[in-house]
Every structure is written in C-alpha cells, then in structure tokens.
Amino acid sequence: MRSLGEMFRQFRTAEGQSRPAKTVERYGWLLLIQGSAVLLFPHFIASILGFAPLEHQAAGFLRLVGMLIGGFGMVYAISGRMNAEGFVFASLIDRPFVAPVTAVLWYLGMLPGGLALLIAFEDSATWLWTFLAWRAATRNPE
C-alpha cells in the first residue's frame, strides 16, 4: 500500500493519468460545480429548472441534493485524477443506466421533462466521451 504522501503526490501531479481517467476527472469537476451551485443557490437553480418558488424546507432538501451531487463529483474527480482504472470501468457500466431511469421518473411524473432531458443528455454525452477515450486507449496504448 502506498503512503499518504505518495497518494497526495499523485493527486497533485496526476502522474500516469490515462485519457479515460482524464474524462472521468473532468466529469467529476462538472458534477462538483453543478452540486455546488445547487447547494449555494437553491432558489436560483429552482427558478432556472422551472420549479415553483421553494419554501424553506424544500430549499434545504434541494441543498442536500446539491451536496450529494457534489459528493459524487468529488469521488469522480479524485478517482479520475488518481487514475483509478477500476472506477473508470465501473463508471462505464453504471452511467448508461441514468438516461433510462430519468425517462422512467419523467414518465411517472416525478421529474420535469426538461430536467430529465438535461440529466440524460449530460450523462450520456460524458459516458460516450469516456467510452471513446477507453476504446482509443486500448487500441493505441501510450
């Protein structure tokens, strides 16, 4: 097992980071930014998404959602930065389920159509980016 100092050095330098891991890291930063926006500005984000004005408790719950999104973003960003190949592979298996799940949530009336479409598009596009990077890396190892 590597020391904490070695782990921080790799985190700082991203030494040996593969192209697929870079896509996962960047996706993580995107999620971290989105989660932070929801956490810090829930009323503004709710208005952009077309939600009704938030009551105090609803704003608190939306902030919790932002914290969850940001937490996922941090895991993705750090795992990508650390070149965690297993995590990159797991994200290729996991992320294709997001679009069908959001479609079901929209169909059941549990998620606004615009938000469902946005989530499905973002996740599918970033999955494709990671998949193509993985495929290129396996065809042309650096």
Side-chain angles (χ1 to χ4, degrees):
M1 181 172 274
R2 296 184 306 176
S3 73
L4 208 53
E6 291 170 328
M7 296 293 280
F8 275 110
R9 184 179 57 72
Q10 182 176 354
F11 179 71
R12 240 184 14 262
T13 63
E15 186 177 298
Q17 187 182 36
S18 68
R19 287 171 44 195
K22 285 179 187 177
T23 68
V24 168
E25 179 189 356
R26 290 180 181 144
Y27 176 60
W29 283 111
L30 178 64
L31 288 178
L32 193 55
I33 290 166
Q34 290 171 342
S36 297
V38 173
L39 178 67
L40 297 172
F41 311 108
H43 297 282
F44 177 69
I45 299 298
S47 70
I48 288 173
L49 296 174
F51 294 168
L54 299 177
E55 294 181 16
H56 181 71
Q57 188 175 25
F61 284 127
L62 193 55
R63 281 189 168 98
L64 285 174
V65 169
M67 196 168 75
L68 180 63
I69 294 167
F72 279 120
M74 187 176 292
V75 170
Y76 272 80
I78 291 172
S79 296
R81 184 83 174 169
M82 301 296 289
N83 202 37
E85 189 175 88
F87 186 87
V88 174
F89 176 73
S91 82
L92 287 172
I93 302 301
D94 171 59
R95 285 165 42 199
F97 290 103
V98 172
V101 168
T102 56
V104 168
L105 292 174
W106 166 77
Y107 181 76
L108 295 174
M110 302 171 83
L111 199 59
L115 181 58
L117 190 60
L118 179 67
I119 292 169
F121 175 77
E122 177 183 280
D123 211 72
S124 297
T126 57
W127 174 86
L128 183 61
W129 182 31
T130 301
F131 174 74
L132 293 174
W134 182 286
R135 199 165 132 203
T138 56
R139 287 186 175 173
N140 305 317
E142 297 173 16

